[in-house]
Coordinates of all heavy atoms in Angstrom, one line a residue:
M1439 N 10.6 -17.2 -10.2 CA 11.6 -17.7 -9.3 C 12.9 -17.0 -9.6 O 13.2 -16.7 -10.8 CB 11.7 -19.2 -9.4 CG 12.7 -19.8 -8.4 SD 12.9 -21.6 -8.5 CE 11.5 -22.0 -7.4
D1440 N 13.7 -16.7 -8.6 CA 15.0 -16.0 -8.7 C 15.9 -16.9 -9.6 O 16.1 -18.1 -9.2 CB 15.6 -15.8 -7.3 CG 16.8 -15.0 -7.3 OD1 17.5 -15.0 -8.3 OD2 17.1 -14.3 -6.3
P1441 N 16.5 -16.4 -10.7 CA 17.4 -17.2 -11.5 C 18.6 -17.6 -10.8 O 19.3 -18.5 -11.3 CB 17.6 -16.3 -12.7 CG 17.4 -14.9 -12.2 CD 16.3 -15.1 -11.2
R1442 N 18.9 -17.1 -9.7 CA 20.1 -17.5 -8.9 C 19.8 -18.7 -8.0 O 20.7 -19.3 -7.5 CB 20.6 -16.3 -8.0 CG 21.0 -15.1 -8.8 CD 21.3 -13.9 -7.9 NE 20.1 -13.6 -7.1 CZ 20.1 -12.9 -6.0 NH1 21.2 -12.4 -5.5 NH2 19.0 -12.7 -5.3
D1443 N 18.5 -19.0 -7.8 CA 18.1 -20.1 -7.0 C 18.7 -21.4 -7.5 O 18.5 -21.7 -8.7 CB 16.6 -20.1 -6.9 CG 16.1 -21.3 -6.0 OD1 16.1 -21.1 -4.8 OD2 15.8 -22.3 -6.6
P1444 N 19.3 -22.2 -6.6 CA 19.9 -23.4 -7.1 C 18.9 -24.5 -7.6 O 19.2 -25.2 -8.6 CB 20.7 -24.0 -5.9 CG 20.1 -23.3 -4.7 CD 19.6 -22.0 -5.2
Q1445 N 17.8 -24.6 -7.0 CA 16.8 -25.6 -7.5 C 16.3 -25.2 -8.9 O 16.1 -26.0 -9.7 CB 15.7 -25.7 -6.5 CG 14.7 -26.8 -6.9 CD 13.7 -27.2 -5.8 OE1 13.8 -26.8 -4.7 NE2 12.8 -28.1 -6.2
F1446 N 16.1 -23.9 -9.1 CA 15.6 -23.4 -10.4 C 16.7 -23.8 -11.4 O 16.3 -24.3 -12.5 CB 15.4 -21.9 -10.3 CG 15.2 -21.3 -11.7 CD1 13.9 -21.3 -12.3 CD2 16.2 -20.6 -12.3 CE1 13.7 -20.7 -13.5 CE2 16.0 -20.0 -13.6 CZ 14.7 -20.1 -14.2
R1447 N 17.9 -23.6 -11.1 CA 19.0 -23.8 -12.1 C 19.2 -25.3 -12.3 O 19.4 -25.8 -13.4 CB 20.3 -23.2 -11.6 CG 20.1 -21.6 -11.6 CD 21.3 -20.8 -11.1 NE 22.5 -21.4 -11.1 CZ 23.2 -21.7 -10.0 NH1 22.7 -21.4 -8.8 NH2 24.4 -22.2 -10.0
I1448 N 19.1 -26.1 -11.3 CA 19.1 -27.6 -11.4 C 18.0 -28.1 -12.3 O 18.2 -28.8 -13.3 CB 19.1 -28.3 -10.1 CG1 20.4 -28.1 -9.3 CG2 18.8 -29.8 -10.2 CD1 20.4 -28.6 -7.9
E1449 N 16.8 -27.6 -12.1 CA 15.6 -28.0 -12.9 C 15.7 -27.5 -14.3 O 15.3 -28.3 -15.2 CB 14.3 -27.5 -12.2 CG 14.0 -28.3 -10.9 CD 12.8 -27.7 -10.2 OE1 12.2 -26.7 -10.6 OE2 12.4 -28.4 -9.2
R1450 N 16.3 -26.4 -14.5 CA 16.4 -25.9 -15.9 C 17.4 -26.7 -16.7 O 17.2 -26.9 -17.9 CB 17.0 -24.4 -15.8 CG 16.9 -23.7 -17.1 CD 17.2 -22.2 -16.8 NE 17.8 -21.7 -18.0 CZ 18.7 -20.8 -18.1 NH1 19.1 -20.2 -16.9 NH2 19.3 -20.3 -19.2
L1451 N 18.4 -27.3 -16.0 CA 19.4 -28.1 -16.7 C 18.9 -29.5 -16.9 O 19.3 -30.2 -17.9 CB 20.7 -28.1 -15.9 CG 21.9 -28.9 -16.5 CD1 22.4 -28.3 -17.8 CD2 23.0 -28.9 -15.5
S1452 N 18.0 -30.0 -16.1 CA 17.6 -31.4 -16.0 C 16.4 -31.6 -16.9 O 15.7 -30.7 -17.2 CB 17.3 -31.8 -14.6 OG 18.4 -31.6 -13.8
D1453 N 16.1 -32.9 -17.2 CA 14.9 -33.3 -17.9 C 13.7 -33.0 -17.0 O 13.8 -33.2 -15.7 CB 14.9 -34.8 -18.2 CG 16.1 -35.2 -19.1 OD1 16.6 -34.3 -19.9 OD2 16.4 -36.4 -19.2
G1454 N 12.6 -32.5 -17.5 CA 11.5 -32.1 -16.8 C 10.9 -33.2 -15.9 O 10.8 -34.4 -16.3
G1455 N 10.7 -32.9 -14.6 CA 10.1 -33.8 -13.6 C 11.1 -34.8 -13.1 O 10.6 -35.7 -12.3
S1456 N 12.4 -34.7 -13.4 CA 13.3 -35.8 -13.0 C 14.1 -35.4 -11.7 O 14.8 -36.3 -11.2 CB 14.3 -36.1 -14.1 OG 15.2 -35.0 -14.3
V1457 N 14.0 -34.2 -11.2 CA 14.8 -33.8 -10.1 C 14.2 -34.3 -8.7 O 13.0 -34.2 -8.5 CB 14.8 -32.2 -10.0 CG1 15.6 -31.7 -8.8 CG2 15.5 -31.7 -11.3
E1458 N 15.1 -34.9 -7.9 CA 14.8 -35.3 -6.6 C 15.9 -34.8 -5.7 O 17.1 -35.2 -5.8 CB 14.7 -36.8 -6.5 CG 13.5 -37.4 -7.2 CD 13.4 -38.9 -7.0 OE1 13.8 -39.4 -6.0 OE2 12.9 -39.6 -8.0
L1459 N 15.6 -33.9 -4.8 CA 16.6 -33.3 -3.9 C 17.2 -34.4 -3.0 O 16.5 -35.3 -2.4 CB 16.0 -32.2 -3.0 CG 15.5 -31.0 -3.8 CD1 15.0 -30.0 -2.8 CD2 16.6 -30.4 -4.7
I1460 N 18.5 -34.3 -2.8 CA 19.2 -35.3 -1.8 C 19.9 -34.5 -0.7 O 20.5 -35.1 0.1 CB 20.2 -36.2 -2.6 CG1 21.3 -35.4 -3.3 CG2 19.5 -37.1 -3.5 CD1 22.4 -36.2 -3.9
S1461 N 19.7 -33.2 -0.7 CA 20.2 -32.3 0.4 C 19.1 -31.3 0.7 O 18.3 -31.0 -0.1 CB 21.5 -31.6 0.0 OG 21.3 -30.6 -1.0
P1462 N 19.1 -30.9 2.0 CA 18.0 -29.9 2.3 C 18.3 -28.6 1.8 O 19.5 -28.2 1.6 CB 18.1 -30.0 3.9 CG 19.5 -30.3 4.2 CD 19.9 -31.3 3.1
R1463 N 17.3 -27.8 1.6 CA 17.4 -26.3 1.3 C 17.8 -25.7 2.6 O 16.9 -25.6 3.5 CB 16.1 -25.8 0.7 CG 15.8 -26.3 -0.7 CD 14.7 -25.5 -1.3 NE 15.1 -24.1 -1.5 CZ 15.4 -23.6 -2.6 NH1 15.5 -24.4 -3.7 NH2 15.8 -22.4 -2.7
D1464 N 19.0 -25.3 2.8 CA 19.5 -24.7 4.0 C 20.5 -23.6 3.7 O 20.5 -23.1 2.6 CB 20.1 -25.8 4.9 CG 21.3 -26.5 4.2 OD1 21.8 -26.0 3.2 OD2 21.7 -27.6 4.7
K1465 N 21.2 -23.2 4.7 CA 22.2 -22.1 4.5 C 23.6 -22.5 4.2 O 24.5 -21.8 4.3 CB 22.2 -21.3 5.8 CG 20.9 -20.7 6.2 CD 20.5 -19.6 5.3 CE 19.2 -19.0 5.7 NZ 18.6 -18.1 4.7
S1466 N 23.7 -23.8 3.7 CA 25.1 -24.3 3.3 C 25.6 -23.6 2.0 O 26.8 -23.6 1.8 CB 25.0 -25.8 3.1 OG 24.3 -26.1 1.9
G1467 N 24.7 -23.1 1.2 CA 25.2 -22.5 0.0 C 25.2 -23.4 -1.2 O 25.7 -23.0 -2.3
V1468 N 24.8 -24.7 -1.0 CA 24.9 -25.7 -2.1 C 23.6 -26.5 -1.9 O 23.2 -26.9 -0.8 CB 26.1 -26.6 -2.0 CG1 26.1 -27.6 -3.1 CG2 27.4 -25.7 -2.1
L1469 N 23.0 -26.9 -3.1 CA 21.9 -27.8 -3.1 C 22.2 -28.9 -4.1 O 22.8 -28.7 -5.1 CB 20.6 -27.0 -3.6 CG 19.3 -27.8 -3.6 CD1 18.9 -28.1 -2.1 CD2 18.2 -27.0 -4.3
A1470 N 21.9 -30.2 -3.6 CA 22.2 -31.4 -4.5 C 21.0 -32.2 -4.7 O 20.0 -32.1 -4.0 CB 23.2 -32.2 -3.7
A1471 N 21.0 -32.8 -5.9 CA 19.8 -33.6 -6.3 C 20.2 -34.7 -7.2 O 21.4 -34.7 -7.8 CB 18.8 -32.7 -7.1
T1472 N 19.4 -35.7 -7.4 CA 19.5 -36.7 -8.5 C 18.5 -36.2 -9.6 O 17.5 -35.6 -9.3 CB 19.2 -38.1 -8.1 OG1 17.8 -38.2 -7.6 CG2 20.1 -38.6 -7.0
A1473 N 18.9 -36.5 -10.8 CA 18.1 -36.1 -12.0 C 18.5 -36.9 -13.2 O 19.4 -37.7 -13.1 CB 18.2 -34.6 -12.2
T1474 N 17.8 -36.6 -14.3 CA 18.3 -37.0 -15.6 C 18.6 -35.8 -16.5 O 17.9 -34.8 -16.4 CB 17.4 -38.0 -16.3 OG1 16.1 -37.3 -16.5 CG2 17.1 -39.3 -15.5
I1475 N 19.6 -36.0 -17.3 CA 20.0 -34.9 -18.3 C 20.1 -35.7 -19.6 O 20.9 -36.6 -19.7 CB 21.3 -34.2 -17.9 CG1 21.1 -33.4 -16.6 CG2 21.7 -33.3 -19.1 CD1 22.4 -32.8 -16.1
A1476 N 19.2 -35.4 -20.5 CA 19.2 -36.0 -21.8 C 19.1 -37.6 -21.6 O 19.7 -38.4 -22.3 CB 20.4 -35.7 -22.6
G1477 N 18.3 -37.9 -20.6 CA 18.0 -39.3 -20.3 C 19.1 -40.0 -19.5 O 18.9 -41.2 -19.1
N1478 N 20.2 -39.4 -19.2 CA 21.3 -39.9 -18.4 C 21.1 -39.6 -16.9 O 20.9 -38.5 -16.5 CB 22.6 -39.4 -18.8 CG 22.9 -39.7 -20.3 OD1 23.1 -40.9 -20.6 ND2 22.9 -38.7 -21.1
K1479 N 21.2 -40.6 -16.0 CA 21.0 -40.5 -14.6 C 22.3 -39.8 -14.1 O 23.4 -40.2 -14.3 CB 20.8 -41.8 -13.9 CG 19.5 -42.5 -14.3 CD 19.4 -43.8 -13.6 CE 18.1 -44.5 -14.0 NZ 17.9 -45.8 -13.3
V1480 N 22.0 -38.7 -13.3 CA 23.2 -37.9 -12.8 C 22.9 -37.5 -11.3 O 21.7 -37.5 -10.9 CB 23.4 -36.6 -13.6 CG1 23.8 -36.9 -15.0 CG2 22.3 -35.7 -13.5
V1481 N 23.9 -37.2 -10.6 CA 23.9 -36.4 -9.4 C 24.3 -35.0 -9.7 O 25.4 -34.9 -10.4 CB 24.7 -37.1 -8.3 CG1 24.7 -36.2 -7.0 CG2 24.3 -38.5 -8.0
I1482 N 23.6 -34.1 -9.3 CA 23.9 -32.7 -9.7 C 23.8 -31.8 -8.5 O 23.0 -32.0 -7.6 CB 22.9 -32.2 -10.8 CG1 23.3 -30.8 -11.3 CG2 21.5 -32.3 -10.3 CD1 22.5 -30.4 -12.6
F1483 N 24.8 -30.8 -8.4 CA 24.7 -29.8 -7.4 C 24.9 -28.4 -8.0 O 25.4 -28.3 -9.0 CB 25.7 -30.1 -6.3 CG 27.1 -30.0 -6.7 CD1 27.8 -28.7 -6.6 CD2 27.8 -31.1 -7.1 CE1 29.1 -28.6 -6.9 CE2 29.2 -31.0 -7.4 CZ 29.8 -29.7 -7.4
A1484 N 24.3 -27.5 -7.3 CA 24.4 -26.1 -7.7 C 24.7 -25.2 -6.5 O 24.2 -25.4 -5.4 CB 23.1 -25.6 -8.4
S1485 N 25.5 -24.2 -6.7 CA 25.8 -23.2 -5.6 C 24.6 -22.3 -5.5 O 23.8 -22.1 -6.5 CB 27.0 -22.4 -6.0 OG 26.8 -21.6 -7.1
D1486 N 24.4 -21.8 -4.3 CA 23.2 -20.9 -4.1 C 23.8 -19.4 -4.0 O 24.3 -19.0 -3.0 CB 22.6 -21.2 -2.8 CG 21.3 -20.5 -2.5 OD1 21.1 -19.4 -3.2 OD2 20.5 -20.9 -1.7
A1487 N 23.6 -18.7 -5.2 CA 24.1 -17.4 -5.3 C 23.4 -16.4 -4.4 O 23.8 -15.2 -4.3 CB 24.1 -16.9 -6.7
T1488 N 22.2 -16.8 -3.8 CA 21.5 -15.9 -3.0 C 22.1 -15.9 -1.6 O 21.7 -15.1 -0.7 CB 20.0 -16.3 -2.9 OG1 19.9 -17.6 -2.2 CG2 19.4 -16.4 -4.3
I1489 N 23.0 -16.8 -1.3 CA 23.7 -16.9 0.0 C 25.2 -16.6 -0.2 O 25.9 -17.3 -0.8 CB 23.6 -18.3 0.6 CG1 22.1 -18.6 0.9 CG2 24.4 -18.4 1.9 CD1 21.8 -20.0 1.4
Q1490 N 25.6 -15.5 0.4 CA 27.0 -15.0 0.3 C 27.5 -15.0 -1.1 O 28.7 -15.3 -1.3 CB 27.9 -15.9 1.2 CG 27.5 -15.8 2.7 CD 28.4 -16.7 3.5 OE1 29.5 -17.1 3.1 NE2 28.1 -16.9 4.7
G1491 N 26.7 -14.6 -2.0 CA 27.1 -14.5 -3.4 C 27.5 -15.8 -4.0 O 28.2 -15.9 -5.0
G1492 N 27.2 -17.0 -3.4 CA 27.6 -18.3 -3.9 C 28.9 -18.8 -3.4 O 29.4 -19.8 -3.8
A1493 N 29.4 -18.0 -2.4 CA 30.7 -18.5 -1.7 C 30.5 -19.8 -1.1 O 29.5 -20.2 -0.6 CB 31.1 -17.4 -0.7
L1494 N 31.6 -20.6 -1.1 CA 31.6 -22.0 -0.6 C 32.2 -22.0 0.8 O 33.3 -21.6 1.0 CB 32.3 -22.9 -1.5 CG 32.3 -24.4 -1.1 CD1 30.9 -25.0 -1.1 CD2 33.2 -25.2 -2.1
G1495 N 31.5 -22.6 1.8 CA 32.0 -22.8 3.1 C 32.1 -24.2 3.4 O 31.9 -25.1 2.6
V1496 N 32.3 -24.5 4.7 CA 32.5 -25.9 5.1 C 31.2 -26.7 4.9 O 31.3 -27.9 4.4 CB 32.9 -26.0 6.6 CG1 32.9 -27.4 7.1 CG2 34.3 -25.4 6.8
E1497 N 30.1 -26.2 5.2 CA 28.8 -26.9 5.1 C 28.5 -27.2 3.6 O 28.1 -28.3 3.2 CB 27.6 -26.1 5.6 CG 27.7 -25.9 7.1 CD 28.5 -24.7 7.5 OE1 29.0 -23.9 6.6 OE2 28.7 -24.5 8.7
G1498 N 28.8 -26.2 2.7 CA 28.6 -26.5 1.3 C 29.6 -27.5 0.7 O 29.2 -28.3 -0.1
A1499 N 30.8 -27.5 1.3 CA 31.8 -28.6 0.9 C 31.3 -30.0 1.3 O 31.4 -30.9 0.5 CB 33.1 -28.3 1.5
H1500 N 30.6 -30.0 2.4 CA 30.0 -31.3 2.8 C 28.9 -31.8 1.9 O 28.9 -33.0 1.6 CB 29.5 -31.2 4.3 CG 30.6 -31.2 5.3 ND1 30.7 -32.2 6.3 CD2 31.6 -30.4 5.5 CE1 31.7 -32.0 7.0 NE2 32.3 -30.9 6.6
V1501 N 28.1 -30.9 1.4 CA 27.0 -31.2 0.5 C 27.7 -31.8 -0.8 O 27.2 -32.8 -1.3 CB 26.1 -30.0 0.2 CG1 25.1 -30.4 -0.9 CG2 25.4 -29.6 1.4
I1502 N 28.7 -31.1 -1.3 CA 29.4 -31.6 -2.5 C 30.0 -33.0 -2.3 O 29.9 -33.9 -3.1 CB 30.4 -30.6 -3.0 CG1 29.7 -29.3 -3.4 CG2 31.3 -31.1 -4.1 CD1 30.7 -28.1 -3.6
A1503 N 30.7 -33.1 -1.1 CA 31.4 -34.4 -0.8 C 30.3 -35.5 -0.7 O 30.5 -36.6 -1.3 CB 32.2 -34.3 0.4
N1504 N 29.2 -35.3 -0.1 CA 28.1 -36.3 0.0 C 27.5 -36.6 -1.3 O 27.2 -37.7 -1.6 CB 27.1 -35.8 1.0 CG 27.6 -35.8 2.5 OD1 28.5 -36.5 2.8 ND2 26.9 -35.0 3.3
S1505 N 27.3 -35.6 -2.2 CA 26.8 -35.8 -3.5 C 27.7 -36.7 -4.3 O 27.3 -37.5 -5.1 CB 26.3 -34.5 -4.2 OG 27.4 -33.7 -4.4
N1506 N 29.0 -36.4 -4.2 CA 30.0 -37.2 -4.9 C 29.9 -38.7 -4.4 O 30.0 -39.6 -5.2 CB 31.4 -36.7 -4.6 CG 32.5 -37.4 -5.4 OD1 32.3 -37.6 -6.6 ND2 33.5 -37.8 -4.8
G1507 N 29.8 -38.9 -3.1 CA 29.6 -40.3 -2.6 C 28.4 -40.9 -3.1 O 28.4 -42.1 -3.4
C1508 N 27.3 -40.2 -3.3 CA 26.1 -40.7 -3.8 C 26.3 -41.1 -5.3 O 25.8 -42.2 -5.7 CB 25.0 -39.7 -3.7 SG 23.4 -40.2 -4.4
A1509 N 27.0 -40.3 -6.0 CA 27.3 -40.7 -7.4 C 28.1 -41.9 -7.5 O 27.9 -42.8 -8.4 CB 28.0 -39.5 -8.1
I1510 N 29.1 -42.1 -6.7 CA 29.9 -43.3 -6.7 C 29.1 -44.5 -6.3 O 29.1 -45.5 -7.0 CB 31.1 -43.1 -5.7 CG1 32.1 -42.1 -6.3 CG2 31.8 -44.5 -5.5 CD1 33.2 -41.6 -5.3
T1511 N 28.3 -44.4 -5.2 CA 27.5 -45.5 -4.7 C 26.5 -46.0 -5.8 O 26.3 -47.2 -6.0 CB 26.7 -45.1 -3.5 OG1 27.7 -44.7 -2.5 CG2 25.8 -46.2 -3.0
Y1512 N 25.9 -45.1 -6.5 CA 24.8 -45.4 -7.4 C 25.3 -45.4 -8.9 O 24.5 -45.5 -9.8 CB 23.6 -44.5 -7.2 CG 23.0 -44.7 -5.9 CD1 23.2 -43.8 -4.9 CD2 22.3 -45.9 -5.6 CE1 22.6 -44.0 -3.6 CE2 21.7 -46.1 -4.3 CZ 21.9 -45.2 -3.3 OH 21.4 -45.4 -2.1
H1513 N 26.6 -45.3 -9.1 CA 27.2 -45.3 -10.4 C 26.5 -44.3 -11.4 O 26.1 -44.7 -12.5 CB 27.1 -46.7 -11.0 CG 27.7 -47.8 -10.1 ND1 29.1 -48.0 -10.0 CD2 27.2 -48.7 -9.3 CE1 29.3 -48.9 -9.1 NE2 28.2 -49.4 -8.7
R1514 N 26.5 -43.1 -10.9 CA 25.9 -42.0 -11.7 C 27.0 -41.0 -12.0 O 28.0 -40.8 -11.3 CB 24.8 -41.3 -11.0 CG 23.6 -42.2 -10.8 CD 22.4 -41.5 -10.3 NE 21.2 -42.3 -10.2 CZ 20.0 -41.9 -10.1 NH1 19.8 -40.6 -10.0 NH2 19.0 -42.7 -10.1
N1515 N 26.8 -40.3 -13.1 CA 27.7 -39.2 -13.5 C 27.4 -38.0 -12.6 O 26.3 -37.9 -12.0 CB 27.5 -38.7 -14.9 CG 27.9 -39.8 -15.9 OD1 29.0 -40.4 -15.8 ND2 27.1 -40.0 -16.9
M1516 N 28.4 -37.1 -12.4 CA 28.3 -35.9 -11.6 C 28.1 -34.7 -12.6 O 28.8 -34.7 -13.6 CB 29.5 -35.6 -10.8 CG 29.6 -36.4 -9.5 SD 28.4 -36.0 -8.2 CE 29.0 -34.3 -7.8
A1517 N 27.3 -33.8 -12.2 CA 27.1 -32.6 -13.0 C 27.1 -31.5 -12.0 O 26.7 -31.7 -10.8 CB 25.8 -32.6 -13.8
L1518 N 27.6 -30.3 -12.3 CA 27.5 -29.2 -11.4 C 27.0 -27.9 -12.2 O 27.2 -27.8 -13.4 CB 28.8 -28.9 -10.7 CG 30.0 -28.4 -11.6 CD1 30.1 -26.9 -11.5 CD2 31.3 -29.0 -11.2
R1519 N 26.4 -27.1 -11.4 CA 25.9 -25.8 -12.0 C 26.4 -24.7 -11.0 O 25.8 -24.4 -10.0 CB 24.4 -25.9 -12.0 CG 23.7 -24.8 -12.7 CD 23.8 -25.0 -14.2 NE 23.4 -23.8 -14.9 CZ 22.5 -23.8 -15.8 NH1 21.9 -24.9 -16.1 NH2 22.2 -22.7 -16.5
W1520 N 27.6 -24.2 -11.3 CA 28.2 -23.2 -10.4 C 27.7 -21.8 -10.6 O 27.2 -21.1 -9.7 CB 29.7 -23.3 -10.4 CG 30.3 -22.7 -9.2 CD1 30.8 -21.5 -9.1 CD2 30.3 -23.3 -7.9 NE1 31.2 -21.3 -7.8 CE2 30.9 -22.4 -7.0 CE3 30.0 -24.6 -7.4 CZ2 31.2 -22.7 -5.7 CZ3 30.2 -24.9 -6.1 CH2 30.8 -23.9 -5.3
S1521 N 27.9 -21.3 -11.8 CA 27.6 -19.9 -12.1 C 26.1 -19.7 -12.1 O 25.3 -20.4 -12.7 CB 28.2 -19.5 -13.4 OG 27.7 -18.2 -13.8
A1522 N 25.7 -18.6 -11.4 CA 24.2 -18.3 -11.4 C 23.7 -17.7 -12.7 O 22.6 -17.6 -12.9 CB 23.9 -17.3 -10.3
F1523 N 24.6 -17.4 -13.6 CA 24.3 -16.8 -14.8 C 24.5 -17.6 -16.0 O 24.4 -17.2 -17.2 CB 25.0 -15.4 -14.9 CG 24.7 -14.5 -13.8 CD1 25.7 -14.4 -12.8 CD2 23.5 -13.9 -13.6 CE1 25.4 -13.6 -11.7 CE2 23.2 -13.2 -12.5 CZ 24.1 -13.0 -11.5
A1524 N 24.8 -18.9 -15.8 CA 25.0 -19.8 -16.9 C 23.8 -20.7 -17.2 O 23.0 -20.9 -16.4 CB 26.2 -20.7 -16.6

């Protein structure tokens, strides 16, 4: 899998098998999911460096805003994975 792929990067950061997508894989440039990291429940999003080099547009900002709302609603921490090389 391409190491720039946001789902790959989210899964790499999260506990195995804990990732559940909360946004569709689309052309927004951002993918969001719920997961656990070291046993802690989180909402996590990652930029998609395969789309416009990871640049953020309006649609991507909506994914981030919606994931923030999800974190608030379900009392979860937020995590982000921005750089495709981290």
Side-chain angles (χ1 to χ4, degrees):
M1439 183 176 275
D1440 187 333
R1442 299 173 300 163
D1443 180 82
Q1445 186 168 353
F1446 172 79
R1447 293 175 25 243
I1448 288 171
E1449 289 176 353
R1450 190 169 151 213
L1451 181 64
S1452 304
D1453 298 339
S1456 70
V1457 174
E1458 294 183 29
L1459 297 181
I1460 59 172
S1461 69
R1463 291 189 64 100
D1464 57 18
K1465 299 294 182 189
S1466 69
V1468 179
L1469 187 66
T1472 60
T1474 59
I1475 298 175
N1478 297 294
K1479 294 179 181 179
V1480 298
V1481 175
I1482 184 170
F1483 66 88
S1485 63
D1486 189 342
T1488 67
I1489 297 176
Q1490 298 181 13
L1494 181 64
V1496 172
E1497 296 86 4
H1500 283 241
V1501 173
I1502 294 170
N1504 290 339
S1505 61
N1506 186 50
C1508 182
I1510 291 168
T1511 299
Y1512 296 104
H1513 306 283
R1514 293 186 175 199
N1515 293 316
M1516 281 290 294
L1518 69 98
R1519 189 75 191 239
W1520 199 262
S1521 173
F1523 302 104

